[in-house]
């Protein structure tokens, strides 16, 4: 028998691969129900929870409305500093047509509230995809400090003229100096490669670059001659955009992988899953009705025939390809 409490009933996991099942008594108040479940999971010290798209079945709610309400509840929960136990929150979506609504709902939150002192977005991402363990913490990266000293020796007929010359030089320097601060959550994901690019920019331009990764959100401060500050700032913005684009692709690939898995037949006669980005490329190619797609299998180039589901390399070696829809039979 289940235990009734506050609008839901909790039972054992039964044959499912989970310890508990929380059955909601539907009232079409999706945000409130999700919030109750999250707080119950925290109270019971559960480490993870998975939700379906609540209310999109017999209740007939639109997936866009459900996405907004579910993510609103998760964001509010993630903002609470008292959360200690719940580490991963997942929304499992089996219907492909609902994915764009949930993805757009996430993007709306990413594009708003960017000036919040403590970013809820990073907390939300850690809950949605799972928190990283402390052993996976990124190492701090230190940008090499660039210091170019210039000494002026001023000689004049009087101290007054020397002071005037010093003041003129200082004003001239200040007119040419400019500082720009770029704040963005993506800076947190700068690794050794991005730091090396920043160091190259600093060496090649008349600028000083400070990487303030411990701030929230992280910052990059660029100071120096105006024209160089502008060009370096543009380069940094391009780096940030590239990281965001990569993260966006990875998020899309993660969502799609929950629905469809592409595999190739390995050497031991068992199927091996493609990496998630290649998985997404294959699925998009199939939906676009493309006849072929070039992929890599164990670092070798293969051409996949999407009609025969066979992959052939440059030497004519062929592998069988398989597409598995994970929502089949559900």
């Amino acid at each position: 028998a289940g235990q009734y409490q506050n609008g839901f009933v909790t039972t054992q996991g039964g044959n499912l691969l989970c310890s508990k099942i929380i059955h909601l008594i539907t009232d079409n108040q999706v945000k409130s129900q999700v919030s109750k479940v999250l707080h119950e999971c925290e109270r019971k010290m559960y480490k993870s929870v998975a939700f379906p798209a609540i209310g999109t079945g017999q209740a007939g709610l639109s997936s866009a409305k459900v996405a907004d309400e579910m993510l609103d509840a998760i964001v509010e929960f993630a903002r609470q500093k008292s959360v200690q136990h719940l580490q991963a929150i997942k929304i499992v979506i089996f219907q492909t047509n609902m994915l764009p609504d949930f993805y757009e709902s996430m993007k709306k939150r990413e594009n708003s509230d960017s000036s919040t002192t403590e970013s809820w977005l990073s907390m939300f991402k850690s809950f949605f995809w799972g928190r990283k363990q402390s052993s996976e913490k990124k190492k701090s990266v230190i940008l090499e400090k660039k210091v170019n000293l210039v000494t002026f020796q001023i000689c004049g007929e009087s101290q007054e003229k020397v002071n005037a010359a010093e003041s003129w030089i200082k004003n001239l320097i200040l007119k040419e100096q400019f500082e720009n601060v770029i704040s963005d959550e993506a800076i947190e994901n700068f690794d050794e490669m991005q730091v090396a690019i920043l160091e190259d920019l600093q060496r090649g331009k008349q600028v000083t670059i400070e990487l303030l990764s411990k701030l929230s959100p992280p910052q990059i401060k660029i100071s120096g001659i105006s024209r160089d500050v502008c060009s370096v700032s543009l380069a940094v913005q391009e780096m940030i955009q590239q990281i965001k684009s990569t993260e966006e692709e990875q998020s899309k690939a993660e969502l799609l992988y929950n629905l469809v898995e592409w595999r190739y037949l390995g050497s031991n006669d068992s199927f091996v899953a493609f990496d998630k980005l290649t998985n997404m490329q294959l699925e998009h190619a199939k939906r676009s009705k493309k006849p072929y797609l070039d992929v890599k299998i164990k670092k070798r180039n293969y051409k996949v025939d999407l009609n025969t589901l066979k992959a052939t390399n440059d030497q004519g070696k062929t592998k069988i390809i398989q597409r598995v829809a994970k929502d089949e039979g559900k």
Side-chain angles (χ1 to χ4, degrees):
Q3 180 182 2
Y4 176 80
Q5 183 177 354
N6 198 22
F8 55 83
V9 176
T10 303
T11 65
Q12 298 299 318
N15 294 327
L16 297 179
L17 297 177
C18 61
S19 60
K20 302 287 182 182
I21 301 175
I22 298 177
H23 306 267
L24 294 172
I25 299 173
T26 182
D27 58 5
N28 291 343
Q29 301 298 317
V30 175
K31 180 179 176 181
S32 172
Q33 290 184 312
V34 171
S35 180
K36 287 178 182 178
V37 171
L38 292 175
H39 284 91
E40 175 69 5
C41 290
E42 176 66 16
R43 190 178 73 84
K44 292 289 189 179
M45 301 184 193
Y46 299 148
K47 291 184 178 180
S48 64
V49 62
F51 290 92
I54 297 172
T56 57
Q58 292 183 352
L61 299 178
S62 73
S63 55
K65 174 179 170 63
V66 168
D68 285 342
E69 292 200 18
M70 292 187 74
L71 297 183
D72 280 345
I74 293 173
V75 167
E76 290 182 7
F77 179 79
R79 278 180 172 151
Q80 298 176 16
K81 297 183 182 297
S82 59
V83 176
Q84 296 179 352
H85 305 289
L86 191 56
Q87 297 178 355
I89 301 170
K90 294 186 178 181
I91 300 177
V92 181
I93 305 165
F94 292 114
Q95 297 85 351
T96 310
N97 61 306
M98 294 185 186
L99 280 175
D101 289 327
F102 278 83
Y103 185 73
E104 286 303 316
S105 186
M106 289 179 66
K107 290 296 292 181
K108 280 191 296 186
R109 287 157 177 77
E110 186 173 7
N111 293 332
S112 64
D113 230 12
S114 59
S115 60
T116 304
T117 302
E118 182 174 0
S119 171
W120 61 264
L121 179 61
S122 57
M123 291 189 291
F124 171 55
K125 284 181 177 178
S126 70
F127 275 111
F128 198 76
W129 303 114
R131 295 180 187 267
K132 292 183 178 180
Q133 300 301 319
S134 58
S135 60
E136 296 179 358
K137 285 183 179 177
K138 287 176 64 104
K139 295 180 180 179
S140 297
V141 288
I142 301 174
L143 191 63
E144 180 184 346
K145 185 71 173 176
K146 177 182 180 179
V147 180
N148 291 330
L149 295 178
V150 177
T151 302
F152 290 90
Q153 292 184 342
I154 306 173
C155 302
E157 295 177 357
S158 66
Q159 185 63 44
E160 183 180 351
K161 290 186 176 181
V162 169
N163 291 342
E166 180 183 359
S167 178
W168 178 80
I169 291 172
K170 286 181 178 178
N171 288 335
L172 190 63
I173 291 172
L174 289 174
K175 284 180 182 178
E176 283 293 319
Q177 294 296 303
F178 184 67
E179 180 178 280
N180 186 31
V181 177
I182 300 172
S183 301
D184 201 289
E185 288 290 346
I187 294 172
E188 183 182 8
N189 296 322
F190 273 34
D191 58 19
E192 286 79 3
M193 182 180 73
Q194 280 81 32
V195 171
I197 294 173
L198 291 177
E199 289 177 341
D200 285 342
L201 288 169
Q202 186 172 244
R203 280 191 291 267
K205 301 288 185 179
Q206 295 298 314
V207 295
T208 297
I209 303 175
E210 294 182 70
L211 180 56
L212 308 173
S213 56
K214 293 185 179 179
L215 297 180
S216 181
Q219 295 180 355
I220 291 178
K221 184 185 292 185
I222 307 162
S223 54
I225 296 177
S226 300
R227 64 177 183 274
D228 286 350
V229 170
C230 291
S231 63
V232 170
S233 296
L234 287 174
V236 170
Q237 292 287 10
E238 288 177 3
M239 293 164 62
I240 290 172
Q241 187 56 48
Q242 181 60 46
I243 287 176
K244 287 184 174 180
S245 297
T246 301
E247 288 181 342
E248 184 175 328
E249 285 296 294
Q250 290 172 343
S251 296
K252 289 179 180 178
E254 183 79 30
L255 289 170
L256 186 59
Y257 187 74
N258 290 326
L259 298 173
V260 176
E261 183 176 288
W262 285 81
R263 307 167 178 171
Y264 63 88
L265 189 61
S267 55
N268 59 350
D269 291 333
S270 61
F271 280 94
V272 180
F274 283 98
D275 67 85
K276 292 175 183 177
L277 286 176
T278 303
N279 185 80
M280 181 173 67
Q281 292 166 2
L282 284 164
E283 184 63 20
H284 285 173
K286 178 182 181 299
R287 293 182 184 181
S288 302
K289 298 183 179 179
K290 292 183 178 179
Y292 301 101
L293 181 71
D294 293 326
V295 301
K296 284 189 178 292
I297 298 176
K298 293 185 177 179
K299 299 182 179 181
R300 290 182 175 273
N301 295 322
Y302 280 80
K303 176 174 281 190
V304 177
D305 186 324
L306 292 164
N307 294 317
T308 63
L309 292 183
K310 290 184 179 179
T312 307
N313 66 9
D314 298 337
Q315 287 75 41
K317 185 176 179 180
T318 300
K319 288 184 179 291
I320 297 174
I321 304 297
Q322 184 183 66
R323 178 186 181 273
V324 178
K326 295 185 178 181
D327 60 340
E328 285 182 351
K330 296 188 178 183

